[in-house]
Amino acid sequence: VSSLFFLSQFRARAYGLHSRARGSFNDQSIQRKSIQRETHNHNIIIFSLQEIMRLSISAYLLLVHASVTVTADCYYPNLDVRDHSKAALDQIDISNIIDEPGHDWSEAIDIYINGRNRASKTFQGMARKDWAAAGIQDLSIYEAYAAILSETGSGEPFLDSYNLDTLYRNNTFEGQSEKMCEISIKKNLICTGLQYAQYEGVKAIENNNEKNWDEMFAFWNGVYDRSVDSRTNKGGPGSVQSSRDSDFGTSFKSESISALLAGQAAFEEHSL
């Protein structure tokens, strides 16, 4: 499913953010971010697009990006979302366990359900997020995602049922090979993180809340501050885009960082 499928759903509200933020996105803004980066003394991680199933927030972000070329070290959250970024470490740990010969599925299941690196935000909790109950008005992103993936699991919420089916190797994965289950859970954890990042992005726009904008970055990118963990820019959906851009000669990474900066500028200028 092409990202273009989502363009009509995002155009109206995203264009308003684009047009208002664009005026404040200039060389001076980039210089300010550079100074901020040196002050924090952190490795700034690029915010990227996830190619998996091409069901990404790319359409949402590309519509609001400023027309400048940026590099990988231009974005740093204004608000502290380092704890949020640790959710991606659970994905890394689960994948590492599954990659071990003769691995113990129960350990991977425990991390999925109970969490390890950030217990207050488990992958199962992310997979079970009820957008409507959380007050999201525009459910078009969730519904488009569900239209593709809801048939893959054995029940609702569709992401959680799919993840549990792969981890327990039953229901829709009954009789599937061990390798198929291993690949499927690793890929769908990326989809789970991606959809939760989408949730934070929509929430940021609807509630005019910059914290959610930065949380979108954290859940998508993963750890961005080495003081939290050395596994920076790994695990989150954003880490996949580097290799995808390299494979296909695309530049979605730089375009999405432009989108993030445009949104950040809009929040700073109170022009959202």
Side-chain angles (χ1 to χ4, degrees):
V1 178
S2 172
S3 297
L4 293 176
F5 179 79
F6 300 111
L7 288 178
S8 61
Q9 301 175 54
F10 306 143
R11 186 175 301 277
R13 61 180 171 176
Y15 182 76
L17 173 61
H18 173 213
S19 59
R20 286 189 290 271
R22 193 168 184 173
S24 61
F25 191 84
N26 50 32
D27 293 340
Q28 186 177 17
S29 175
I30 293 176
Q31 184 178 20
R32 173 164 46 83
K33 300 305 174 191
S34 178
I35 294 172
Q36 180 188 49
R37 184 170 67 254
E38 294 174 4
T39 301
H40 286 282
N41 193 29
H42 295 309
N43 288 331
I44 311 308
I45 305 305
I46 194 161
F47 190 71
S48 61
L49 292 178
Q50 169 59 23
E51 183 70 14
I52 288 182
M53 296 186 72
R54 304 186 74 179
L55 284 171
S56 77
I57 200 169
S58 59
Y60 193 71
L61 292 179
L62 290 176
L63 284 170
V64 300
H65 80 276
S67 56
V68 297
T69 300
V70 294
T71 57
D73 57 356
C74 284
Y75 190 85
Y76 193 86
N78 281 333
L79 301 170
D80 187 359
V81 291
R82 288 174 293 179
D83 191 51
H84 300 76
S85 72
K86 291 191 290 186
L89 299 178
D90 280 1
Q91 180 188 329
I92 296 174
D93 288 347
I94 291 173
S95 295
N96 288 341
I97 290 169
I98 289 174
D99 285 340
E100 295 175 0
H103 60 80
D104 183 359
W105 280 97
S106 63
E107 186 178 2
I109 291 170
D110 181 69
I111 296 174
Y112 174 74
I113 294 175
N114 299 310
R116 171 181 285 178
N117 297 281
R118 189 185 183 225
S120 62
K121 185 68 67 178
T122 68
F123 258 87
Q124 184 174 53
M126 292 161 65
R128 296 180 65 86
K129 188 66 180 181
D130 187 331
W131 289 32
I136 297 297
Q137 299 298 310
D138 185 351
L139 299 175
S140 58
I141 296 177
Y142 178 89
E143 290 168 349
Y145 214 94
I148 301 300
L149 295 181
S150 60
E151 298 299 321
T152 61
S154 57
E156 291 291 340
F158 62 90
L159 283 173
D160 186 42
S161 69
Y162 184 97
N163 290 336
L164 291 175
D165 286 357
T166 59
L167 287 167
Y168 286 105
R169 287 92 65 214
N170 60 15
N171 296 321
T172 54
F173 278 83
E174 186 76 39
Q176 295 291 340
S177 68
E178 190 90 348
K179 179 59 68 176
M180 175 63 76
C181 294
E182 292 170 353
I183 294 172
S184 297
I185 184 57
K186 289 194 290 185
K187 299 301 184 184
N188 207 56
L189 286 179
I190 298 175
C191 290
T192 301
L194 174 62
Q195 191 192 52
Y196 200 82
Q198 291 175 320
Y199 162 75
E200 295 291 356
V202 174
K203 191 174 180 180
I205 297 296
E206 289 193 352
N207 297 334
N208 192 18
N209 189 330
E210 185 177 8
K211 181 68 177 296
N212 293 121
W213 189 259
D214 282 340
E215 288 177 8
M216 174 176 64
F217 168 78
F219 285 114
W220 200 2
N221 181 81
V223 171
Y224 58 92
D225 182 345
R226 287 191 180 277
S227 70
V228 173
D229 194 276
S230 62
R231 293 170 289 180
T232 55
N233 197 31
K234 298 181 183 297
S239 65
V240 176
Q241 193 59 56
S242 291
S243 59
R244 293 297 179 268
D245 282 347
S246 176
D247 290 342
F248 301 105
T250 53
S251 59
F252 289 121
K253 228 175 183 183
S254 62
E255 292 176 3
S256 51
I257 199 70
S258 297
L260 276 167
L261 286 166
Q264 188 178 64
F267 281 113
E268 290 173 348
E269 300 297 325
H270 306 289
S271 60
L272 185 64

